[in-house]
Amino acid sequence: MRTIFLLFDSLNRRMLNPYGGQFLETPNFNRLAEKSVTFDNHFIGSMPCMPARRDLQSGRLSFLHRSWGPLEPFDNSFPEILRLKNIYTHLITDHNHYFEDGGATYHNRFNSFDFIRGQERDPWKAMVEPPIERFKKMYHKSQSDFKNRESTYYFYPINSEYIKEEKDFPSVKCFSSGLEFLETNKSAKDWFLQIETFDPHEPFFAPKRFREKFKTNYLGPRLDWPQYDRVKESPDEITELKANYLALISLCDYLLGSILDYFDQNNLWDDTTLILTTDHGFMLGEHDWWAKNKMPLYNEISHIPLFIYHPDYKNNIGQRRSVVTQNIDLMPTFLENHKIKIPKEVQGKSLLNFLEREEKTNYSALYGYWGGGVNITDANYTYFKYPEKMSREDPYQYTLMPTHLRQFFTIEELKSARMEKPFSFTKGVPVMKIKNDVKGPSIGNNKNTDGKGFIDTESALYDVSNDPGQLNKVNDKKIISKMNNLIFDKMIENDAPEEVIKRFFKK
């Protein structure tokens, strides 16, 4: 068996025609839906980027035990398992977070990898004295912190100086590299290819021919990087930001089309599995929010697309499934697809069984951020559960790999380290229990790591069957009790730390 896994970042399902999107035309996502089984109730797990990828690689949730960080030595990594079973695995990515301290163990699990440079704040091009005054005129003031080399925004304008033509864009290079792999290996057996692009993650920078499809009245400097905050921009600025996101979706649709064309031209539909999803969605002004990380995990972030084509289920193409799934389910799906036994530590379920027929099940999905609330959905209701006090007296992380996003744990954090008995999934290995320094470096993008960085932290129940936009809270004590029980059971199932359970369930 051969498998192609297409992973986009921050792909909002509401933009895609197969999920009812009417903001733009996505003809290639339509083509994929016609050839695939489309999953209607697919959800995230751990947030944001690298926690989500740990879930994807290991088949279990990570946010109950630690925040952003590398794969742990005890994690079951599906590309490594495939590799050691003589299934060739190759990663193509422009996702810079794999190559920072907080993600440096993921790409090395593959046989080989190709890292495409230049996305977002990738420290790619060395410009010791950039033209700061020119940059200030070129870029909106909200994304123009150019003097501080540690700033999120510092490298973006520098990198952009070297991205002039469509062929220069990192995502375009990713898919070109993917097509090169396919051309080289289309006759080979037993391989797994992951083509992963940072797009449509912010900054929303697309080639001209995609951007000019979406006209706005905005006349200011370049504005393509929304803040992780409430919507505060003028109407023209809001329209400009959204137009830039739509341009990236249009680019992603085009790039997907290049893979579908290759399938058509080389009959890969006969013997190659194709799976497409994202790590999470993105707020585009809904509920008066941009982006992610601070606000509740509304469906715009948590409810994500999933398409699966499998050559053994050609008779089912174009069908849809309502079973509740989430990203931890992909790891066991990849293993079963290559006829490899699923490790006992895996909490996800293989999705191959659901390609055959629609099955009514009682599955639910637990998801969240480390230090934030916990959230659960059964596709009929979604419940956001927050503790009485968000401020944490005991913000512990459990790890053998003490790194944050772009730096090691601080010396003060490491001084608190104590060895803790093994969890059920650490294979008998004890781990370090480290108290997080709430004044230390940011974790992910949330700088208040004791839980105070989250906003709108009131527990809430939504009837998503009738209110998919989650606009009206429901006060049904019976259903809230049911959802609380589901959360508790999921925490026990995932062997959550004792203090985490007590934080949400005092009794």
Side-chain angles (χ1 to χ4, degrees):
M1 178 58 70
R2 294 104 63 86
T3 301
I4 299 176
F5 178 36
L6 302 181
L7 181 60
F8 293 91
D9 195 300
S10 306
L11 180 62
N12 189 316
R13 79 196 289 274
R14 295 172 62 250
M15 302 297 113
L16 309 181
N17 299 159
Y19 287 103
Q22 299 179 358
F23 299 92
L24 75 163
E25 294 299 317
T26 56
N28 292 304
F29 280 99
N30 292 343
R31 285 174 65 193
L32 179 61
E34 291 169 358
K35 297 288 291 189
S36 305
V37 174
T38 300
F39 286 75
D40 286 324
N41 290 308
H42 189 57
F43 291 87
I44 61 172
S46 304
M47 285 286 291
C49 296
M50 294 318 296
R53 281 157 180 77
R54 187 177 174 205
D55 287 6
L56 280 165
Q57 277 212 21
S58 69
R60 60 174 301 115
L61 299 172
S62 65
F63 78 91
L64 295 170
H65 298 85
R66 74 155 296 164
S67 64
W68 188 295
L71 278 177
E72 301 281 349
F74 46 77
D75 284 342
N76 295 297
S77 164
F78 81 79
E80 182 165 68
I81 293 171
L82 292 174
R83 189 189 87 220
L84 295 177
K85 291 292 185 179
N86 207 33
I87 309 297
Y88 195 97
T89 57
H90 184 61
L91 169 68
I92 301 167
T93 184
D94 59 8
H95 200 288
N96 171 59
H97 294 317
Y98 279 117
F99 300 88
E100 297 171 319
D101 291 337
T105 55
Y106 293 82
H107 60 283
N108 286 314
R109 310 279 69 77
F110 293 80
N111 283 94
S112 52
F113 61 87
D114 185 7
F115 177 32
I116 310 298
R117 305 299 301 271
Q119 286 278 23
E120 197 208 35
R121 70 160 315 280
D122 178 15
W124 176 36
K125 294 296 186 180
M127 192 177 290
V128 180
E129 295 182 352
I132 292 175
E133 293 307 314
R134 176 164 66 87
F135 284 169
K136 283 184 176 181
K137 294 178 181 178
M138 292 175 59
Y139 292 84
H140 192 275
K141 62 182 180 181
S142 65
Q143 56 187 81
S144 59
D145 183 7
F146 304 134
K147 291 184 179 180
N148 177 11
R149 290 174 182 163
E150 300 301 312
S151 165
T152 301
Y153 305 107
Y154 180 81
F155 280 99
Y156 175 48
I158 297 173
N159 292 342
S160 296
E161 296 285 291
Y162 298 86
I163 302 173
K164 298 298 186 183
E165 300 179 44
E166 185 171 320
K167 65 180 179 61
D168 301 328
F169 280 74
S171 58
V172 174
K173 290 183 175 181
C174 272
F175 278 76
S176 177
S177 179
L179 292 171
E180 180 183 345
F181 175 95
L182 293 177
E183 188 62 24
T184 301
N185 299 289
K186 63 184 178 183
S187 299
K189 298 179 180 179
D190 297 333
W191 47 254
F192 179 97
L193 169 64
Q194 181 167 327
I195 304 176
E196 174 180 352
T197 178
F198 201 55
D199 288 342
H201 191 290
E202 77 283 351
F204 304 148
F205 181 30
K208 182 178 179 181
R209 71 183 177 103
F210 297 99
R211 178 59 184 86
E212 62 189 8
K213 297 178 183 179
F214 306 98
K215 306 297 183 182
T216 74
N217 295 322
Y218 177 73
L219 299 175
R222 185 160 154 183
L223 176 59
D224 53 12
W225 197 322
Q227 304 301 295
Y228 282 47
D229 204 346
R230 300 275 192 194
V231 175
K232 300 174 182 177
E233 292 78 5
S234 70
D236 283 349
E237 289 173 331
I238 292 169
T239 302
E240 177 72 7
L241 284 166
K242 290 182 178 180
N244 283 320
Y245 183 79
L246 294 178
L248 267 189
I249 295 290
S250 186
L251 170 62
C252 292
D253 182 82
Y254 167 77
L255 295 172
L256 167 61
S258 68
I259 300 299
L260 299 182
D261 289 346
Y262 197 89
F263 265 71
D264 290 343
Q265 295 160 6
N266 295 276
N267 298 318
L268 265 62
W269 302 112
D270 291 340
D271 55 13
T272 306
T273 298
L274 177 62
I275 298 177
L276 183 150
T277 191
T278 187
D279 52 354
H280 51 71
F282 196 85
M283 302 294 292
L284 293 162
E286 303 89 353
H287 301 274
D288 202 33
W289 279 107
W290 289 115
K292 55 185 186 287
N293 290 359
K294 291 184 178 181
M295 72 295 293
L297 280 168
Y298 293 112
N299 274 350
E300 288 82 5
I301 302 172
S302 63
H303 197 184
I304 56 177
L306 174 64
F307 304 91
I308 299 180
Y309 169 79
H310 194 293
D312 291 348
Y313 301 93
K314 287 183 179 180
N315 292 336
N316 305 98
I317 63 173
Q319 296 182 7
R320 305 183 80 98
R321 299 290 181 262
S322 63
V323 60
V324 175
T325 61
Q326 61 183 140
N327 273 347
I328 60 172
D329 297 332
L330 292 182
M331 180 268 199
T333 301
F334 295 144
L335 293 186
E336 185 176 12
N337 195 40
H338 288 272
K339 298 181 174 19
I340 294 175
K341 183 179 179 181
I342 298 169
K344 64 180 181 179
E345 296 84 10
V346 172
Q347 293 289 353
K349 57 186 177 295
S350 171
L351 303 181
L352 295 188
N353 290 337
F354 302 111
L355 298 179
E356 179 65 36
R357 68 183 73 85
E358 169 76 322
E359 293 189 20
K360 299 297 182 183
T361 65
N362 294 318
Y363 290 112
S364 58
L366 184 75
Y367 51 95
Y369 298 94
W370 180 87
V374 289
N375 314 271
I376 198 156
T377 187
D378 61 4
N380 295 311
Y381 292 91
T382 294
Y383 185 52
F384 303 153
K385 184 176 180 63
Y386 291 95
E388 290 182 7
K389 294 182 179 180
M390 286 301 295
S391 180
R392 299 182 67 176
E393 297 177 358
D394 51 5
Y396 294 113
Q397 300 211 51
Y398 296 85
T399 181
L400 291 174
M401 305 290 292
T403 61
H404 294 308
L405 174 63
R406 290 192 290 271
Q407 56 279 309
F408 299 113
F409 276 36
T410 66
I411 296 300
E412 289 305 310
E413 286 174 319
L414 292 173
K415 286 179 180 178
S416 75
R418 301 290 184 272
M419 296 307 295
E420 181 77 0
K421 64 181 182 181
F423 287 100
S424 61
F425 54 88
T426 64
K427 301 177 180 176
V429 177
V431 295
M432 289 187 288
K433 179 179 181 179
I434 301 175
K435 187 168 184 178
N436 193 82
D437 180 3
V438 300
K439 297 180 181 179
S442 66
I443 298 182
N445 293 309
N446 185 16
K447 293 185 177 180
N448 294 302
T449 56
D450 61 350
K452 293 188 292 186
F454 299 98
I455 299 174
D456 293 350
T457 55
E458 179 181 346
S459 296
L461 176 71
Y462 294 95
D463 177 359
V464 290
S465 293
N466 298 303
D467 178 25
Q470 297 167 305
L471 301 176
N472 301 294
K473 297 178 182 179
V474 176
N475 185 20
D476 188 316
K477 293 183 179 179
K478 184 177 180 180
I479 297 174
I480 290 174
S481 176
K482 173 189 173 183
M483 303 306 267
N484 270 313
N485 289 336
L486 282 174
I487 290 173
F488 183 83
D489 291 345
K490 287 282 188 180
M491 283 186 164
I492 297 299
E493 181 182 320
N494 284 274
D495 199 7
E498 182 178 355
E499 74 275 6
V500 173
I501 296 176
K502 287 182 178 179
R503 186 176 182 229
F504 292 93
F505 299 95
K506 288 191 174 182
K507 293 183 180 180

